[in-house]
Amino acid sequence: MRPHDENIENYGKLCRERTNKSMNKSRQIQVIDNDNGTHMRPMPGMIIAAVFNEKKKAPAKTSDTKRTRRDRGEMEDIMFKLFERQSNWTLRQLIQETDQPEQFLKDILKDLCIYNNKGTNQGTYELKPEYKKATDGTNP
């Protein structure tokens, strides 16, 4: 793009003014006398945001105590009882119910259950068909 030849002088002035204006510093430093710190206090919205951040961090933290493993046979009995109560369980729910280490629980689930990847019960475990029939037929 080029300016018209008749306006070339005006355009030159405009460009010089624009560059001079951009070189001037518009910010100023001002010393505040007798300040009690009222300007440095957090606003009400800032305090609420800090509280929400703390609440979000708390659930992510797991318990500090280690979970102890139970006997495998005892755990299988507990698992069958849980699956009698409800047919589908997530791993997190089972960890809360049994209070067992995650890896130990996964090993047991690998033997006893099927993991649902798809469908309405996605992300849950359900008993294998051979165990379902066995629990239906016997009464403890």
Side-chain angles (χ1 to χ4, degrees):
M1 252 173 43
R2 286 185 165 181
H4 296 290
D5 289 334
E6 56 211 37
N7 295 334
I8 194 78
E9 291 176 17
N10 291 338
Y11 182 71
K13 284 182 187 177
L14 179 71
C15 289
R16 277 192 294 278
E17 287 175 13
R18 195 181 316 158
T19 53
N20 288 339
K21 194 182 274 187
S22 68
M23 294 174 86
N24 291 339
K25 294 182 180 179
S26 59
R27 298 181 188 171
Q28 294 179 352
I29 298 173
Q30 203 174 24
V31 179
I32 302 172
D33 294 330
N34 300 329
D35 184 32
N36 298 337
T38 56
H39 299 293
M40 299 300 288
R41 291 191 183 135
M43 301 298 283
M46 295 169 71
I47 295 170
I48 292 171
V51 172
F52 281 127
N53 288 340
E54 290 173 13
K55 286 184 182 177
K56 287 180 184 176
K57 292 177 186 175
K61 188 177 178 184
T62 59
S63 61
D64 294 333
T65 59
K66 285 192 172 184
R67 296 181 170 106
T68 54
R69 288 186 178 190
R70 291 184 179 165
D71 182 44
R72 187 168 177 96
E74 183 184 348
M75 270 308 298
E76 287 178 358
D77 291 339
I78 292 170
M79 296 298 283
F80 286 131
K81 287 178 185 174
L82 287 174
F83 279 101
E84 283 176 10
R85 224 174 54 190
Q86 183 179 323
S87 61
N88 292 306
W89 291 85
T90 64
L91 182 63
R92 293 284 161 227
Q93 289 173 329
L94 289 169
I95 290 171
Q96 284 179 337
E97 287 285 325
T98 59
D99 196 37
Q100 294 296 301
E102 184 175 342
Q103 195 57 47
F104 177 60
L105 210 54
K106 280 183 178 179
D107 292 340
I108 293 173
L109 288 170
K110 206 179 289 181
D111 296 336
L112 301 178
C113 299
I114 300 169
Y115 183 73
N116 295 317
N117 286 326
K118 299 176 184 175
T120 56
N121 298 320
Q122 183 179 2
T124 60
Y125 289 91
E126 90 180 272
L127 280 178
K128 289 183 178 177
E130 58 265 22
Y131 294 117
K132 282 184 184 178
K133 292 175 186 172
T135 55
D136 291 342
T138 59
N139 285 331

